[in-house]
């Protein structure tokens, strides 16, 4: 099935290779620098697990990393991902926000099932695509992405908030769930209504991911007019 056709019918698809190994290595250097720098990332950093400040963040999320380290947005991965976003959903797609999500070795904490649209305000144009780029080889045991093929409807399930400003989650039937293992440099694409999840990292390896989120330029303007720039507290904005 062609990339765009699968994305539109299932709500997700993937590429075996989005960027070359040399760029993966460059990204890892910047990524690790930001992970270690808790001062510069303060206010944009949280533990999606809902952890309350233990010695190790189980699921580190850093929002808008390219605001802290502008070198990121100049890298080829941003251009490549945007090109595919336009291929999948139209020429008016633009970068809304980026983020880093890291699962440290042996933390073994899942990212629960959820729909990204639960985090977003209601918009008249619902087109959106998230590009999840693997910076390490990913597989089920260290936290590769899982998806449930989307139905024709675009309903948002009821979501709940984990404690301590952790991730949102919902309850769903997972019998049709599919895992997408990737080599580093590969990526997945999913839309805002597609249910997705990842297992915890139970291995001694890293699991670093860069996520780039795209939507129509006009909808980004609408978000910013309403004060949404993806740097504030995590909350349920788009309810069932």
């Amino acid at each position: 099935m062609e990339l765009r056709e699968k994305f539109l019918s299932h709500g997700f698809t993937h590429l075996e290779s989005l960027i070359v190994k040399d760029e993966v290595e460059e990204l890892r250097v910047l990524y690790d620098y930001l992970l270690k720098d808790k001062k510069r990332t303060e206010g944009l950093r949280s533990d999606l697990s809902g952890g309350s400040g233990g010695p190790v963040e189980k699921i580190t999320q850093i929002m808008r990393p390219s605001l802290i380290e502008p070198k990121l947005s100049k890298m080829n991965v941003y251009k490549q991902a945007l090109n595919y976003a336009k291929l999948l959903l139209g020429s008016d797609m633009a970068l809304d926000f980026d983020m880093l999500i890291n699962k440290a070795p042996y933390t073994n904490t899942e990212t629960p099932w959820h729909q990204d649209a639960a985090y977003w305000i209601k918009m008249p144009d619902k087109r959106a695509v998230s590009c999840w780029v693997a910076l390490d080889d990913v597989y089920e045991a260290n936290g590769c992405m899982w998806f449930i093929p989307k139905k024709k409807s675009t309903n948002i399930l009821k979501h709940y908030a984990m404690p301590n400003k952790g991730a949102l989650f919902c309850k769903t039937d997972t019998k049709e769930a599919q895992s997408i293992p990737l080599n580093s440099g590969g990526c997945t694409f999913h839309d805002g209504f597609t249910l997705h999840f990842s297992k915890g990292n139970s291995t001694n390896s890293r699991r670093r991911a860069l996520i780039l989120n795209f939507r129509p330029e006009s909808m980004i303007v609408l978000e910013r007019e309403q004060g949404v720039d993806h740097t504030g507290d995590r909350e349920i904005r788009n309810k069932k």
Side-chain angles (χ1 to χ4, degrees):
M1 187 180 292
E2 294 294 330
L3 193 78
R4 185 172 185 272
E5 182 184 351
K6 182 176 180 183
F7 178 81
L8 294 176
S9 62
H10 288 46
F12 69 94
T13 190
H14 75 281
L15 285 176
E16 296 295 340
S17 179
L18 177 71
I19 54 174
V20 299
K21 299 298 182 185
D22 286 349
E23 184 167 4
V24 171
E25 292 296 336
E26 290 181 58
L27 284 165
R28 286 173 177 170
V29 171
L30 294 174
Y31 196 110
D32 290 349
Y33 174 74
L34 290 170
L35 278 179
K36 292 174 183 176
D37 194 339
K38 293 191 176 182
K39 184 175 181 179
R40 290 183 71 201
T41 58
E42 186 177 3
L44 297 172
R45 183 188 193 112
S46 62
D47 188 343
L48 285 174
S49 73
S52 54
V56 177
E57 293 169 333
K58 296 178 179 178
I59 310 175
T60 304
Q61 181 188 60
I62 299 174
M63 295 298 297
R64 305 294 299 272
S66 59
L67 293 180
I68 309 167
E69 183 45 78
K71 289 180 184 177
L72 278 171
S73 59
K74 294 179 174 62
M75 298 192 72
N76 183 54
V77 64
Y78 282 72
K79 179 181 178 180
Q80 287 291 92
L82 176 59
N83 287 340
Y84 277 103
K86 290 180 176 181
L87 172 69
L88 295 172
L89 286 176
S91 61
D92 59 340
M93 302 301 285
L95 180 69
D96 185 4
F97 64 98
D98 54 352
M99 71 175 105
L100 310 180
I101 299 182
N102 178 70
K103 292 193 174 185
Y106 298 123
T107 45
N108 200 22
T109 304
E110 69 178 33
T111 304
W113 286 103
H114 67 282
Q115 296 162 293
D116 291 340
Y119 289 97
W120 304 339
I121 61 171
K122 292 182 179 179
M123 286 174 267
D125 189 333
K126 295 177 173 58
R127 287 177 296 148
V129 55
S130 296
C131 178
W132 191 99
V133 186
L135 300 185
D136 298 288
D137 294 347
V138 295
Y139 39 96
E140 292 183 14
N142 75 346
C144 72
M145 293 286 276
W146 290 70
F147 299 99
I148 297 173
K150 193 179 70 171
K151 307 300 182 185
K152 288 186 178 180
S153 65
T154 55
N155 291 330
I156 300 174
L157 301 179
K158 184 175 181 179
H159 281 67
Y160 307 86
M162 294 179 69
N164 299 312
K165 299 181 180 180
L168 302 184
F169 69 95
C170 64
K171 300 172 184 177
T172 188
D173 184 348
T174 62
K175 66 177 181 296
E176 295 183 3
Q178 302 174 20
S179 64
I180 310 291
L182 294 168
N183 291 326
S184 61
C187 72
T188 61
F189 298 97
H190 66 274
D191 74 14
F193 296 90
T194 300
L195 286 152
H196 56 287
F197 150 97
S198 66
K199 292 184 178 180
N201 185 359
S202 60
T203 74
N204 64 356
S205 66
R206 308 285 301 279
R207 202 235 63 178
R208 291 164 287 191
L210 167 67
I211 298 93
L212 307 176
N213 293 266
F214 303 91
R215 69 175 72 252
E217 293 182 66
S218 59
M219 295 299 98
I220 297 172
V221 171
L222 176 64
E223 284 183 314
R224 301 300 185 264
E225 288 174 347
Q226 296 191 29
V228 176
D229 63 1
H230 307 284
T231 64
D233 289 341
R234 190 178 300 111
E235 58 182 288
I236 303 172
R237 290 188 174 91
N238 201 346
K239 298 181 181 180
K240 182 178 179 181

